[in-house]
Amino acid sequence: MPRAEPSDDRLPEEAAQPARVERAGDPGRDGGIDVPRPAEAGTDPTDPERAGGDSADRTRADGEPGDREPEPTLPEPVRARIVSLAAAALPTLPSDELPPPLRRVAKFAPNRRARLGGGPIATQLAADPLFRQRVASRVLAEAGELGSVVVSGASPAAADPVEVAALAYLTRPPGWRDLVEDAGAAVRAEVDSAVVAELVREAEQRATRAEHDRAVAKVEADKLRDEVARLREELGQLREENRVLGRTLRETQAQQRRAAELLATEKGRASRAAADHEAELRRVRARLAEAEATAGAVRQTAKEARSVDDARLWLLLETIGRAAVGLRRELALDPADRLPADYVADTFAERPATANSARALDADDPARLDELLALPRAHLLVDGYNVTKRGFGDMSLEQQRKRLITGLGGIAAQTGDEVTVVFDGAERVHGLPPAPRGVRVLFSRKGETADDLIRRLVRAEPAGRPVVVVSSDREVADGVRRHGAYPLGADSLLRRLARS
C-alpha cells in the first residue's frame, strides 16, 4: 500500500546513528558500501543472542561460515544501482521486517528515497544479511531471467555489467566478488573507451579544421596571386603614365619659358602705357580744377538768383495771405472751434462713402511717418490695440493703453498735429485718466469694431487734408488708402515712440 511522505526530509535519529556502528572504510575515498563494526571492545557480531537472529543470518552469502570478510570496494555506478534497487524495494517490505533506521526512509517519495536515504540504506545492506536477503528476494522477483542467471553464478555477455554486479551483491551467489570486480573493470573500460573516443573525436576535429585552414589558405594564396598580377599590370600602366606626364611636363616648362618672355615684353609695354596715362591724368586734374572754379562761380550766381526768387515768393505769399484775410472778412467766416473728427466722435454718423483719388502711397520707411507728420494740419489716426499688442503684448490692457496714449501725447506736443487713437469698445473701461493735450481717445460702440470707426474718421476728413493711419491690419490699410489716407505699419509708430 502507498506510504505518505513525511513532513520533512530529515532522517530519524536511529537512521542517522545506526546502532552505534563504526564505518570500516571511507566512502568518500573508495566508494564502497559502509561495513559496520562493533562499537565496543569485546562484542562479537556473530553472537546470536546480541544480533537477535538465527545462525543462518550470520553465515556468509557464499555458504562458508566463519568470520565476515571485508566488503569489496564497489564502483560508484554499482553502488548507486544497489541503493536504487533497495530503495525501490523498501515500500514492498512489511514495517516489522524493515530495520528501524529505514522505516522512515521507506515513507519518502520514490524520487527522494535513494537520494536522501542512500547512506542508511547502504549501511543496512552491508550490516544486516537478513535485510539484504529480503531485499534480494524482492529484486530477483523483478529481475526475472537475469536474476535467475546471476543466482546461478553466471554472467550473461549481453547484460549490463552494472546490473549484474548489483544483483550479485544483493544475492551473493558463489563468485559474486568476481562479478563485482568484473563490473568495476567494465565500468573503467567504458570510461577509458569514452576517453579514447573523445580523443579520437578531437583528433578528427583538428584534422577537419586543418583541412579547412588549408583550403582557406589555398584560396587566399590564389587571391594574393591574382592581386600581385593586377598590381603588376597597374604598375606597368603607372610607368606608362609617368613617361607621358614627364613628356608633358617638359613641354609645359618650355611653354612657361616662352610665356615669361612674353610677360617681360608686355610689362615693358605696360610701363610705357602707365607713363602715358599718368601724364593724361595730370592734364585731366588741371581741367578738373578749372571746372571746379567755374562751378563755384556758377553756384554763387545761382545763390544770388535764389535770393531774388525767395524775395519774390515771400511777396507772393504775403499777397495771398492778405487776400485770404480780406476774403475771410468779406465772407464773415468765424474761426472753427471743432474739427471733422470731433463730429464723428460725437455722433458716429454714417456718411456715404465717396471714393476720392489717392493722395498718398504706402511706404515702409519709418522716416516716412516724420515726413507725413510734418505736413501742415496733418491728422494722425492710430489703431490702438493693433499697435499695443504688437509692441507691448506682455503688459495688461490698461498698461498698454496708458503707455500708448502717453507716447502719442509727446508726438502731439512736438508736432502740434491732431492725434486720435481708437480702441475696441469691448475692452472699454470707465474712469480713464484724462488724455494728454492734443490726443483724442475713442472707443467703438457695441456691434462696431475699431476698424469701422477708423474708416468713418477717414471719410469725415475734407479732401486735401493729410490723414495718416497707423495699423498693421492689411484690410484697414487697403480701406483707408481708397479714401486718400496714408497707411503706415505699426512698427513705424513704435520706432518713433522708442526714439522719443
Side-chain angles (χ1 to χ4, degrees):
M1 60 181 296
R3 301 177 183 272
E5 185 178 350
S7 58
D8 57 7
D9 297 340
R10 293 178 299 177
L11 295 176
E13 295 182 358
E14 54 269 21
Q17 300 175 357
R20 299 174 60 189
V21 175
E22 296 180 354
R23 298 193 175 193
D26 186 0
R29 179 194 58 193
D30 53 17
I33 293 182
D34 298 334
V35 179
R37 293 183 179 179
E40 297 178 1
T43 59
D44 186 2
T46 59
D47 187 4
E49 297 179 356
R50 183 173 181 83
D54 53 9
S55 59
D57 294 337
R58 298 298 177 263
T59 307
R60 290 174 50 188
D62 54 2
E64 298 179 4
D67 295 336
R68 180 179 301 169
E69 296 183 2
E71 291 292 313
T73 300
L74 299 177
E76 185 58 29
V78 176
R79 180 181 182 279
R81 182 57 182 163
I82 292 172
V83 172
S84 176
L85 292 174
L90 285 181
T92 63
L93 295 176
S95 178
D96 55 352
E97 293 182 0
L98 290 174
L102 299 183
R103 289 174 183 173
R104 188 174 182 183
V105 175
K107 299 178 182 179
F108 288 177
N111 59 343
R112 304 168 68 182
R113 193 179 301 130
R115 179 167 55 88
L116 299 178
I121 292 174
T123 300
Q124 294 302 320
L125 289 175
D128 194 343
L130 180 57
F131 170 67
R132 186 175 59 248
Q133 290 176 5
R134 291 169 179 169
V135 171
S137 63
R138 300 304 194 278
V139 172
L140 288 176
E142 299 290 337
E145 185 178 354
L146 178 59
S148 302
V149 175
V150 172
V151 171
S152 65
S155 175
D160 184 6
V162 175
E163 188 72 19
V164 172
L167 293 175
Y169 178 84
L170 293 174
T171 58
R172 303 212 174 183
W176 67 275
R177 293 178 179 274
D178 296 335
L179 294 177
V180 173
E181 292 178 359
D182 294 341
V187 171
R188 288 190 293 273
E190 290 180 359
V191 174
D192 295 340
S193 299
V195 172
V196 172
E198 180 65 20
L199 294 176
V200 171
R201 185 178 63 81
E202 292 178 358
E204 291 176 352
Q205 290 178 352
R206 287 196 295 271
T208 303
R209 287 196 297 270
E211 182 65 22
H212 175 71
D213 294 342
R214 188 180 67 81
V216 171
K218 183 178 179 181
V219 172
E220 293 294 333
D222 294 339
K223 290 182 180 179
L224 291 176
R225 281 194 292 270
D226 296 340
E227 185 69 16
V228 169
R230 185 181 64 80
L231 291 176
R232 288 178 178 173
E233 182 178 358
E234 291 182 358
L235 179 60
Q237 294 176 357
L238 291 175
R239 288 176 177 173
E240 181 63 24
E241 292 178 359
N242 188 26
R243 287 194 293 270
V244 173
L245 291 175
R247 184 168 58 254
T248 304
L249 177 61
R250 290 190 294 272
E251 294 176 357
T252 303
Q253 289 175 349
Q255 294 176 0
Q256 185 179 4
R257 286 192 295 272
R258 290 193 295 271
E261 295 173 356
L262 292 175
L263 179 61
T265 303
E266 292 297 329
K267 283 183 177 180
R269 294 178 182 177
S271 298
R272 291 192 297 273
D276 296 339
H277 289 318
E278 184 67 24
E280 183 66 22
L281 180 61
R282 286 193 294 272
R283 289 193 295 270
V284 170
R285 286 176 178 173
R287 294 173 189 172
L288 179 60
E290 295 176 358
E292 288 178 351
T294 303
V298 170
R299 283 195 296 271
Q300 183 64 26
T301 303
K303 184 176 180 181
E304 295 174 356
R306 188 167 59 251
S307 299
V308 175
D309 292 339
D310 291 343
R312 290 174 180 174
L313 181 59
W314 179 86
L315 181 60
L316 177 60
L317 291 177
E318 183 68 17
T319 302
I320 292 173
R322 291 181 179 179
V325 171
L327 183 60
R328 186 183 299 113
R329 186 182 303 112
E330 182 71 20
L331 296 177
L333 295 176
D334 295 329
D337 57 351
R338 293 177 65 82
L339 298 174
D342 294 328
Y343 292 97
V344 176
D346 291 341
T347 64
F348 291 176
E350 291 287 350
R351 296 182 182 179
T354 58
N356 298 332
S357 59
R359 296 178 304 207
L361 298 176
D362 192 5
D364 295 331
D365 188 1
R368 183 64 174 164
L369 177 61
D370 293 334
E371 296 178 359
L372 294 174
L373 294 179
L375 296 175
R377 300 295 294 172
H379 185 185
L380 176 62
L381 287 173
V382 180
D383 187 354
Y385 288 133
N386 183 272
V387 175
T388 60
K389 291 182 179 180
R390 190 177 183 90
F392 329 117
D394 54 345
M395 298 181 179
S396 64
L397 294 179
E398 181 181 358
Q399 292 175 340
Q400 292 179 20
R401 289 192 298 267
K402 182 177 180 181
R403 182 167 180 177
L404 178 60
I405 294 172
T406 303
L408 292 176
I411 294 178
Q414 292 174 4
T415 61
D417 294 330
E418 180 183 359
V419 179
T420 302
V421 57
V422 180
F423 297 99
D424 285 320
E427 299 294 338
R428 176 180 299 178
V429 293
H430 298 283
L432 286 173
R437 181 180 182 135
V439 178
R440 181 186 298 108
V441 181
L442 300 179
F443 288 89
S444 62
R445 294 183 301 184
K446 184 177 181 181
E448 187 179 31
T449 63
D451 300 344
D452 298 332
L453 181 54
I454 290 174
R455 294 189 187 95
R456 290 189 184 189
L457 291 169
V458 172
R459 288 196 299 267
E461 294 295 337
R465 184 183 184 187
V467 179
V468 183
V469 179
V470 177
S471 176
S472 295
D473 191 336
R474 177 67 65 181
E475 186 177 354
V476 173
D478 294 340
V480 300
R481 185 184 292 110
R482 286 195 296 270
H483 296 289
Y486 297 92
L488 294 177
D491 290 338
S492 60
L493 178 59
L494 291 172
R495 293 172 183 169
R496 177 67 173 78
L497 295 175
R499 188 177 61 193
S500 300

